[in-house]
């Protein structure tokens, strides 16, 4: 998640929470910015596969976002809680 050539260290933080019957998954890394691995560039396999699987499993009932700030990249996924 976010590791690219030339990097020596990468920190990854994964948090899970349940809010209002939604499972919230946050994966933050201190790696390369998202412009290096855009979903539709054809250079990435993991991100497009993730989005396609979410779409197949949850139709429109999910959220997938990538956000960048000065300290790294955050991927946020929200799914309906299934019991």
């Amino acid at each position: 998640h976010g590791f690219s050539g030339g990097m020596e260290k990468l920190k990854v933080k994964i948090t899970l929470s349940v809010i209002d019957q939604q499972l919230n998954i946050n994966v933050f890394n201190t790696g390369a910015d998202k412009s290096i691995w855009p979903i539709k560039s054809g250079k990435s396999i993991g991100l497009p596969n993730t989005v396609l699987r979410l779409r197949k499993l949850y139709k429109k009932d999910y959220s997938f976002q990538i956000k960048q700030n000065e300290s790294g990249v955050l991927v946020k996924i929200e799914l309906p809680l299934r019991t």
Side-chain angles (χ1 to χ4, degrees):
H1 186 279
F3 195 80
S4 63
M7 294 180 68
E8 292 182 20
K9 294 182 181 180
L10 175 75
K11 292 182 182 180
V12 177
K13 180 180 179 182
I14 300 170
T15 57
L16 304 169
S17 62
V18 175
I19 301 172
D20 296 326
Q21 298 299 307
Q22 290 276 34
L23 174 62
N24 299 299
I25 305 164
N26 291 332
V27 182
F28 176 81
N29 75 64
T30 57
D33 72 51
K34 68 181 179 184
S35 64
I36 293 173
W37 37 268
I39 290 176
K40 296 182 181 179
S41 73
K43 296 178 183 178
S44 173
I45 295 171
L47 288 174
N49 282 345
T50 299
V51 172
L52 288 172
R53 289 177 185 186
L54 288 170
R55 189 175 299 140
K56 186 172 183 175
L57 288 168
Y58 298 100
K59 308 294 184 231
K60 294 181 181 181
D61 199 17
Y62 75 95
S63 173
F64 181 90
Q65 300 174 24
I66 300 174
K67 297 182 178 185
Q68 178 184 349
N69 65 31
E70 63 279 351
S71 59
V73 177
L74 173 65
V75 175
K76 298 179 73 161
I77 302 172
E78 294 180 358
L79 307 172
L81 187 62
R82 295 183 177 172
T83 56

